[in-house]
Each structure stands twice: as structure tokens, then as C-alpha cells.
């Protein structure tokens, strides 16, 4: 594990801007003679909002054709005043409300295309059982049933208002087409400037950084809902920890482990770090020797983005992942990372520990692929083409 100094003087929530400043920025798009996208989201957060709204708005600052600005559920009434300047209205994973329905009707009356942007298979009640099983949701009480039926049902109702969809990969696009019979465009998840800047600094520091003498496997789980994903790999990790006392498992986020792993927690071979902001996360990913992304391979997880690959690649950390749709598309096994089915994790991780792979070359390839695909000119062109597909000619 690499020891980096603490990060200083950065914004952990750079998207926090006043309503007035966002309105001003929106009107400035039109003063630049660019087409304008109005993006709606429930309330700012570090997950879907960051990837699907903030990063897109930031990327379009370099566009000569399009600009965008995000607004929130509590602002729907004021957003109506901006519709006359909008070229498209994008509903980003929002839940149906009367206010949303009203705003969409106003947009449609003005001939503004209404799109729905979604990054997960959370829009179809027919797949509720698969979703809750995958996330290990306890459905033994009425509260859980009411929450999940309302959550998925309201997203489904909001999505039904749209004329088309924007999503993160082909698999999810097909699921949307099967459900709603409307066209989709793909804008992959991406890296923002803040991540790129800190990642560049971390990469420069890696060559001379102090190491603690351990080989550290990083698992950036986020939430306890990944327990079933972890169960895909834990027995192979357990065997590695038993055989090699020098191997550590570093978990960032919240996770409940099987009882067999408790002794390794007690003696410090498994360590935990609470959830951190998105910039600090880059430092933690950079500090480990390998990033693992085990996933249950089903129709729900195949809709997920490959963000855990590219956020590791940009800080020169090798990723080993389950070959769901997005990771199989992004990772060329053995060239820019590794793909593992159950039963293959032990061997790959052991060989990484024993330095049997050229990890410098693997990291170089992964970083090159990431910079080309998940930011910059190619990513910007993908947004422009997607918006142009739906915009009024």
C-alpha cells in the first residue's frame, strides 16, 4: 500500500451553486448562441447527480454547440420561466411528482423534446424482485415493500413521460427500449476536472511515494447493499489472506462480512474506511495495489456503469472485475485490467501479489484508454451527438 500525504485545499462539492448563479449561467449559454439543455434532478448528491448532471455540464463548457445547467425538484416552478430558452429538457433519474408532470406538460406544449436519463435498471416494476434480491433488501416488512414499490413505480412513471432516453451502455439502452419502445442515446459516465487534476498529482507522486510493505487489495463498496456482490469473491479472498499474512484487504464504505472473516478484521488484515468525498476517494484508490469489483452477474448488474474501472485507471491502479456487460466492454483481459469469473479471483490476485504481471504496462494502457474515452474531446462529442439526435432540427 502506498502512503500519500493528505489532500488539502479542494472543493468536496463544487456543484453547490446558488439558484441565481445557475440561472445566469443558463442564460449565458444562449448569449453564446449555443443550444441549451435543462437538466432536472431531485437534489445534488455525489453519485448519479455528479456523473449525469455535474460532469455533463462541466464537459459542455468546452462545446461550441451546446451548454447545459442543472436544476432541482424544489425549483420546478421557477424552471418553467426558463423553458422558452431550452432546446431539450432532461429528467435525470427523477421520481414522478405532480410538479414534474406539470412542468413536462409545459415543455411539451412548447415543442421542447423531453428525455429521461437513467444509469440503473430502476424503472421497471417487473424487475423489482431481481433488484431487491441483488441489493440484499429485506422484504420481511411492509415498510420495505412500500418504499421499493413507490421508488421504482415513481421512476417508471416519470420515465414514461419522456420521448427518448439517455443512458450509460447498450445493455441498459435495450432494457429501456424493451420497456418503453422509444429511442435511446448513450452518454457514458465520466471523469470531471477535479478528479483529473488530483489524479494527475497522485500519479506523479506514486513513483517516489512511501510504501507500508503490505500488498493491499482495495474494495470500494460504498454501501451495505453490495453484500451479495462481495459473497461472489470472499472465499477466494479468505484463502489469500490465510496463505499470505502480508496481504491486506482495505474496504472503503460500509460492508457486513461473513463470520469467517472476523478473525482477519480483529488482527488488522481487513481494515475499514468510512465513505469519503469523491476527490479523497481518488487518493484512496491510488494507495492500493489492486482494485476489485466483484458483482453478481444478472440483468440488474449488467446495466451498471464501468466507473470503478476508469476511476482506478486514472490513478494507475489495476482493476480486477466481474465481466458484466460494461466491464467486459471496457477491460481487455490481461492488457488494461483483468476479468474474473468465480473461481478465477484467487489465481489472478495471487499472481498480482507475486508480481507475475507487468502492472506498469497494464496501468499505462488502462490510463490511456480512460483519458481517451471518459473525458475530453471524445466524451464531449458523445454528449453533443446524443443531444443533437433528439433536438428540434
Amino acid at each position: 500500500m502506498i502512503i500519500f500525504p493528505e489532500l488539502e485545499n479542494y472543493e468536496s462539492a463544487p456543484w453547490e451553486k446558488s439558484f441565481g448563479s445557475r440561472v445566469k449561467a443558463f442564460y449565458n449559454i444562449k448569449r453564446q448562441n449555443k443550444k441549451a439543455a435543462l437538466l432536472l434532478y431531485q437534489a445534488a448528491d455525489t453519485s448519479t447527480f455528479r456523473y449525469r448532471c455535474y460532469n455533463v455540464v462541466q464537459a459542455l463548457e468546452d462545446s461550441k454547440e451546446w451548454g447545459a445547467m442543472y436544476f432541482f425538484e424544489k425549483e420546478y416552478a421557477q424552471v418553467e420561466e426558463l423553458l422558452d430558452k431550452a432546446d431539450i429538457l432532461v429528467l435525470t433519474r427523477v421520481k414522478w411528482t405532480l410538479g414534474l408532470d406539470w412542468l413536462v406538460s409545459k415543455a411539451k406544449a412548447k415543442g421542447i423534446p423531453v428525455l429521461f436519463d437513467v444509469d440503473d435498471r430502476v424503472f421497471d416494476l417487473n424487475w423489482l424482485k431481481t433488484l431487491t434480491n441483488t441489493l440484499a433488501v429485506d422484504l420481511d416488512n411492509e415498510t420495505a415493500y412500500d418504499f421499493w414499490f413507490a421508488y421504482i413505480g415513481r421512476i417508471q412513471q416519470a420515465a414514461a413521460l419522456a420521448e427518448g432516453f439517455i443512458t450509460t451502455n447498450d445493455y441498459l439502452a435495450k432494457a429501456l427500449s424493451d420497456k418503453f419502445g422509444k429511442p435511446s442515446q448513450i452518454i457514458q459516465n465520466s471523469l470531471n476536472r477535479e478528479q483529473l487534476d488530483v489524479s494527475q498529482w497522485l500519479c506523479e507522486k506514486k513513483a517516489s511515494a512511501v510504501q507500508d510493505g503490505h500488498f493491499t487489495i482495495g474494495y470500494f463498496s460504498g454501501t451495505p447493499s453490495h453484500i451479495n456482490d462481495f459473497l461472489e469473491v470472499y472465499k477466494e479472498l479468505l484463502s489469500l489472506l490465510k496463505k499470505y499474512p502480508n496481504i491486506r484487504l482495505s474496504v472503503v464504505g460500509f460492508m457486513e462480512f461473513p463470520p469467517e472473516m472476523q478473525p482477519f478484521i480483529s488482527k488488522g488484515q481487513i481494515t475499514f474506511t468510512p465513505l469519503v468525498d469523491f476527490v479523497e476517494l481518488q487518493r484512496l484508490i491510488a494507495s492500493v495495489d489492486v482494485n476489485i469489483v466483484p458483482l453478481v452477474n444478472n440483468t440488474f448488474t449488467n446495466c451498471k456503469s464501468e466507473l470503478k474501472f476508469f476511476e482506478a485507471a486514472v490513478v494507475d491502479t489495476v482493476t480486477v472485475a466481474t465481466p458484466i456487460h460494461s466491464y467486459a466492454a471496457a477491460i481487455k483481459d490481461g492488457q488494461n485490467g483483468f476479468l474474473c469469473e468465480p473461481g478465477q479471483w484467487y489465481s489472478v490476485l495471487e499472481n498480482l501479489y507475486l508480481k507475475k504481471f507487468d502492472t506498469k504496462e497494464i496501468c499505462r494502457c488502462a490510463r490511456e484508454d480512460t483519458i481517451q474515452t471518459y473525458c475530453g474531446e471524445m466524451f464531449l462529442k458523445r454528449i453533443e451527438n446524443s443531444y443533437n439526435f433528439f433536438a428540434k432540427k
Side-chain angles (χ1 to χ4, degrees):
M1 183 172 185
I2 297 172
I3 308 300
F4 288 103
E6 296 294 322
L7 300 175
E8 298 179 353
N9 302 319
Y10 68 88
E11 289 186 79
S12 60
W15 45 81
E16 290 184 352
K17 304 177 188 297
S18 69
F19 176 74
S21 67
R22 286 180 281 120
V23 169
K24 184 178 179 180
F26 181 78
Y27 280 119
N28 192 48
I29 294 168
K30 302 307 293 185
R31 282 194 288 272
Q32 297 176 58
N33 294 315
K34 297 198 292 187
K35 288 176 279 189
L38 268 173
L39 313 183
L40 301 185
Y41 193 74
Q42 184 172 2
D45 59 40
T46 61
S47 54
T48 296
F49 168 75
R50 173 161 58 92
Y51 293 107
R52 309 308 295 167
C53 294
Y54 177 73
N55 289 5
V56 170
V57 167
Q58 187 184 79
L60 287 175
E61 290 173 3
D62 294 327
S63 175
K64 295 180 180 178
E65 188 176 3
W66 278 93
M69 184 45 65
Y70 47 82
F71 297 91
F72 304 113
E73 182 179 329
K74 65 181 181 180
E75 299 164 345
Y76 285 172
Q78 296 98 311
V79 168
E80 186 204 1
E81 300 175 10
L82 306 178
L83 288 177
D84 286 334
K85 300 293 184 181
D87 293 277
I88 57 173
L89 178 66
V90 183
L91 318 179
T92 307
R93 195 171 169 161
V94 294
K95 294 178 285 188
W96 185 91
T97 66
L98 195 59
L100 178 72
D101 198 287
W102 168 82
L103 185 61
V104 168
S105 69
K106 294 289 185 182
K108 289 182 175 180
K110 294 176 182 291
I112 300 167
V114 177
L115 312 175
F116 196 86
D117 187 320
V118 66
D119 56 353
D120 248 335
R121 192 165 193 161
V122 291
F123 49 80
D124 190 346
L125 282 170
N126 291 331
W127 290 94
L128 181 60
K129 182 178 178 181
T130 301
L131 184 155
T132 52
N133 281 343
T134 304
L135 299 181
V137 174
D138 180 8
L139 290 180
D140 285 337
N141 61 80
E142 286 295 311
T143 300
Y145 281 112
D146 288 344
F147 173 84
W148 284 101
F149 268 86
Y151 180 76
I152 303 301
R154 288 176 64 192
I155 291 178
Q156 178 176 314
Q157 189 75 359
L161 298 173
E163 301 159 43
F165 296 91
I166 297 172
T167 192
T168 52
N169 62 53
D170 293 329
Y171 192 99
L172 190 49
K174 184 179 185 305
L176 286 161
S177 177
D178 290 345
K179 178 64 179 176
F180 298 103
K182 297 173 183 177
S184 294
Q185 289 289 295
I186 295 168
I187 299 175
Q188 291 160 303
N189 280 338
S190 64
L191 293 156
N192 55 46
R193 284 196 292 268
E194 291 83 2
Q195 287 175 300
L196 290 168
D197 289 346
V198 73
S199 297
Q200 179 62 38
W201 181 84
L202 290 164
C203 287
E204 291 169 0
K205 293 289 183 184
K206 260 195 170 183
S208 58
V210 176
Q211 300 205 21
D212 69 357
H214 297 115
F215 180 87
T216 303
I217 299 168
Y219 181 49
F220 302 91
S221 62
T223 67
S225 63
H226 287 286
I227 182 60
N228 284 342
D229 293 327
F230 184 75
L231 292 177
E232 292 286 298
V233 73
Y234 92 94
K235 288 186 178 179
E236 293 173 77
L237 288 177
L238 196 61
S239 296
L240 281 168
L241 294 173
K242 286 179 179 177
K243 184 175 181 179
Y244 300 104
N246 197 43
I247 292 181
R248 298 287 184 270
L249 174 64
S250 175
V251 179
V252 178
F254 303 102
M255 180 55 57
E256 297 177 5
F257 282 153
E260 303 99 297
M261 305 200 83
Q262 295 307 313
F264 297 93
I265 297 172
S266 299
K267 64 184 181 180
Q269 250 185 296
I270 299 175
T271 61
F272 297 88
T273 301
L275 287 174
V276 297
D277 64 67
F278 77 108
V279 178
E280 172 66 7
L281 182 62
Q282 292 303 113
R283 185 180 76 90
L284 296 179
I285 298 172
S287 72
V288 302
D289 296 281
V290 58
N291 164 50
I292 60 168
V293 192
L295 292 161
V296 174
N297 195 339
N298 63 21
T299 188
F300 177 71
T301 57
N302 271 281
C303 293
K304 287 188 169 294
S305 157
E306 65 275 33
L307 62 92
K308 289 185 179 180
F309 162 70
F310 63 72
E311 289 180 343
V314 80
V315 291
D316 287 342
T317 295
V318 176
T319 292
V320 183
T322 299
I324 64 164
H325 178 85
S326 57
Y327 286 99
I331 295 175
K332 297 180 280 289
D333 189 42
Q335 297 179 42
N336 65 352
F338 296 92
L339 298 169
C340 284
E341 300 282 4
Q344 298 175 336
W345 291 84
Y346 180 93
S347 175
V348 170
L349 291 171
E350 182 181 45
N351 285 333
L352 282 166
Y353 171 70
L354 296 174
K355 302 187 186 308
K356 292 187 177 181
F357 298 116
D358 185 352
T359 54
K360 285 189 176 180
E361 177 60 17
I362 290 168
C363 288
R364 187 197 67 77
C365 291
R367 196 167 199 277
E368 185 177 279
D369 290 345
T370 290
I371 296 300
Q372 183 177 15
T373 305
Y374 303 102
C375 57
E377 185 177 345
M378 183 178 292
F379 177 64
L380 175 59
K381 185 58 64 177
R382 186 177 289 274
I383 302 171
E384 292 173 336
N385 289 344
S386 296
Y387 284 2
N388 283 331
F389 180 85
F390 290 109
K392 294 178 292 186
K393 302 297 187 287

